[in-house]
Amino acid sequence: MTEPLNSDPNTMPAAPTATIAPPTAQDRRKVITASFIGNFVEWFDYAAYGYLAATISKVFFPESDPTTALLATFAVFAISFLIRPLGGIIWGRIGDRVGRRTALSWSILIMSGATVCIALLPGYASIGLFAPVLLLLVRVVQGFSASGEYAGASSFLVEYAPPNRRGLYASVVPASTASGLLLGSLLAALLTGVLSDAQMHSWGWRLPFLLAAPMGLIGRYIRVKLEDTPVFRALEDKELPPAPLGQLFKENLRPLLIALGAAILNAVAFYVLLSYMPTYLSEELGFGASESFLATTVALVTYIGCIFFTGIASDRFGRKRMLITASVLFIVLSVPSFLLLDGAGFLLVVLIQVVMGGVLTLNDGTLPSFLSELFPTRVRYTGFAFSFNLANALFGGTAPFICTLLIAKTGSQVAPAWYLVAAALVSLCAVLASSETFRKPLRDF
């Protein structure tokens, strides 16, 4: 049953705003296109690293044993996430003070530049220990730039969307994220399929990172041509608090804690199922690299197809119902799914990934609108970016490392499933503590 409109005592009705012409259908199409392309580029760059982790480990950590080298590669992946909460604060301040468009157009430019730098880095054989150090530095820059993307694009879409379609519009963000992962998976499968190991280690792994330059420039060009969101422009003539972060902690602490808890399942499940899984299948279960990438590719296609239906469903049935369903299904299905993977044939592996990816869409297709609606316009970018990036820094970026470490320490290939169950339990508690948001107006303050 839908909760009353004003069931949350902390939720105030939307304050009167300055008269701003409502966006046209053409404006909204441009916003959807710009958000999709920009987020696609950001997460393709991230995907390339995750999918090519096994090759990268041999290029930058060749003196280690295979497990240690892989752990070191995923450690670099995880460390780059530690900068993301700080990046979320900085990008959030820019987005809440200067504008969403400004933050988004600069974040994609920095991300693309850092990704191209990865393609140009010399390996351990050329410069020794400086190679992994430089890799770490560039990954930190990547993490900083990515920290403003997901939250900014989600806020941008929600603020442009018709009130009864905010879930659908915001679902463009996870769809574009998965599309970036899909292209990364396809390229990794293609490269590993047509190039020899020597060619992959020498130059093949660099090719996906070089694509970042033209794609990033296209994404930035589209974004700078947009106007900022109507609700943000309506606040520009008002006296605003100077510190969005201070207002966030002072007046929006409860929504912030709920957002952090709700984002944990997304952080863990997204990286375990859609980024780490090819490595898990090939390194832990003995599948061929091409088969592993192909299975994940099929799961990604299904994920992208389902994500928009989840956005529509969240507009009809509510954000809480969708997020609770996702958490419960992860608690019930994670361990059995990983048990079935061990010894499964290729078709069963694909089916399991498709089912789990479909369950993940129930969370991911709802979360961007849920987090955006938790916070008022004045601190929406900051609140979303800080909570989402803190969850990803602590639990998402570390997921491949923790899964690999758990398997090594316990000797159990099902260990990643228990990590998923724990994340789902935390998110379930957070969502249960929240109030429904989908039929409430966006607040200014």
Side-chain angles (χ1 to χ4, degrees):
M1 182 175 179
T2 303
E3 295 184 26
L5 183 63
N6 294 318
S7 60
D8 183 356
N10 295 320
T11 301
M12 300 294 294
T17 58
T19 302
I20 299 291
T24 64
Q26 184 179 12
D27 292 334
R28 288 180 169 134
R29 283 195 295 270
K30 289 180 180 179
V31 167
I32 290 172
T33 301
S35 298
F36 187 96
I37 292 177
N39 205 52
F40 171 87
V41 172
E42 292 268 5
W43 295 100
F44 165 75
D45 297 345
Y46 251 65
Y49 187 95
Y51 288 134
L52 294 172
T55 300
I56 292 173
S57 68
K58 294 179 176 64
V59 174
F60 289 91
F61 306 96
E63 292 189 349
S64 303
D65 64 85
T67 299
T68 303
L70 192 59
L71 282 171
T73 304
F74 282 137
V76 172
F77 184 84
I79 290 171
S80 70
F81 276 73
L82 297 180
I83 194 68
R84 288 180 60 169
L86 176 61
I89 293 172
I90 295 173
W91 289 117
R93 181 179 177 84
I94 295 172
D96 284 331
R97 293 293 301 174
V98 182
R100 282 77 161 112
R101 183 189 66 174
T102 300
L104 288 170
S105 60
W106 276 103
S107 69
I108 191 173
L109 190 64
I110 296 172
M111 180 71 166
S112 300
T115 304
V116 171
C117 287
I118 289 182
L120 303 178
L121 287 178
Y124 187 93
S126 299
I127 59 173
L129 289 175
F130 286 106
V133 171
L134 290 175
L135 177 65
L136 174 61
L137 290 175
V138 176
R139 286 290 298 170
V140 167
V141 174
Q142 273 192 321
F144 173 79
S145 63
S147 62
E149 179 60 35
Y150 200 98
S154 298
S155 300
F156 207 73
L157 285 163
V158 164
E159 292 176 357
Y160 256 107
N164 63 338
R165 301 182 73 187
R166 294 196 296 247
L168 174 60
Y169 272 60
S171 67
V172 168
V173 176
S176 59
T177 299
S179 297
L181 290 175
L182 176 60
L183 180 58
S185 177
L186 288 173
L187 277 178
L190 177 64
L191 290 172
T192 55
V194 302
L195 298 180
S196 66
D197 287 344
Q199 289 172 323
M200 279 295 296
H201 294 158
S202 176
W203 53 269
W205 69 272
R206 301 178 185 272
L207 296 180
F209 298 103
L210 290 173
L211 289 175
M215 291 195 300
L217 291 175
I218 292 170
R220 176 176 167 79
Y221 174 80
I222 294 174
R223 285 182 169 181
V224 297
K225 296 296 182 180
L226 296 173
E227 276 195 297
D228 227 312
T229 68
V231 295
F232 179 81
R233 285 183 282 134
L235 293 182
E236 290 181 327
D237 61 346
K238 297 184 178 182
E239 184 177 351
L240 301 176
L245 186 64
Q247 186 187 12
L248 178 67
F249 280 96
K250 182 179 180 181
E251 301 177 16
N252 295 274
L253 182 59
R254 185 172 183 273
L256 181 64
L257 294 175
I258 289 173
L260 175 61
I264 287 176
L265 178 57
N266 165 269
V268 173
F270 186 87
Y271 285 101
V272 169
L273 297 179
L274 299 180
S275 181
Y276 167 70
M277 190 57 70
T279 301
Y280 176 80
L281 292 174
S282 60
E283 299 297 319
E284 305 295 344
L285 300 185
F287 280 83
S290 296
E291 286 181 310
S292 301
F293 285 125
L294 180 59
T296 302
T297 297
V298 174
L300 281 168
V301 171
T302 305
Y303 176 97
I304 295 167
C306 292
I307 203 80
F308 295 111
F309 291 105
T310 299
I312 294 171
S314 75
D315 283 329
R316 181 173 181 178
F317 301 112
R319 319 300 185 214
K320 282 189 68 172
R321 187 175 299 179
M322 302 299 292
L323 293 173
I324 289 171
T325 302
S327 295
V328 171
L329 288 175
F330 266 107
I331 292 168
V332 173
L333 297 178
S334 294
V335 173
S337 295
F338 272 75
L339 285 171
L340 286 172
L341 282 174
D342 189 11
F346 177 72
L347 291 180
L348 181 56
V349 168
V350 172
L351 178 61
I352 292 170
Q353 285 198 257
V354 166
V355 170
M356 294 304 292
V359 174
L360 180 60
T361 64
L362 299 178
N363 178 276
D364 292 5
T366 306
L367 191 67
S369 53
F370 175 75
L371 296 183
S372 297
E373 291 164 349
L374 278 177
F375 301 101
T377 301
R378 176 62 190 88
V379 295
R380 180 167 296 121
Y381 203 138
T382 303
F384 191 141
F386 181 68
S387 59
F388 184 80
N389 285 297
L390 184 58
N392 275 273
L394 297 177
F395 305 101
T398 59
F401 177 86
I402 289 176
C403 289
T404 304
L405 184 62
L406 285 174
I407 293 171
K409 294 295 184 181
T410 65
S412 172
Q413 295 173 336
V414 186
W418 292 109
Y419 191 42
L420 283 171
V421 170
L425 284 169
V426 173
S427 289
L428 177 61
C429 293
V431 175
L432 287 172
S434 70
S435 297
E436 186 55 81
T437 62
F438 79 119
R439 289 182 177 172
K440 297 178 181 179
L442 297 176
R443 295 179 291 141
D444 286 345
F445 294 91

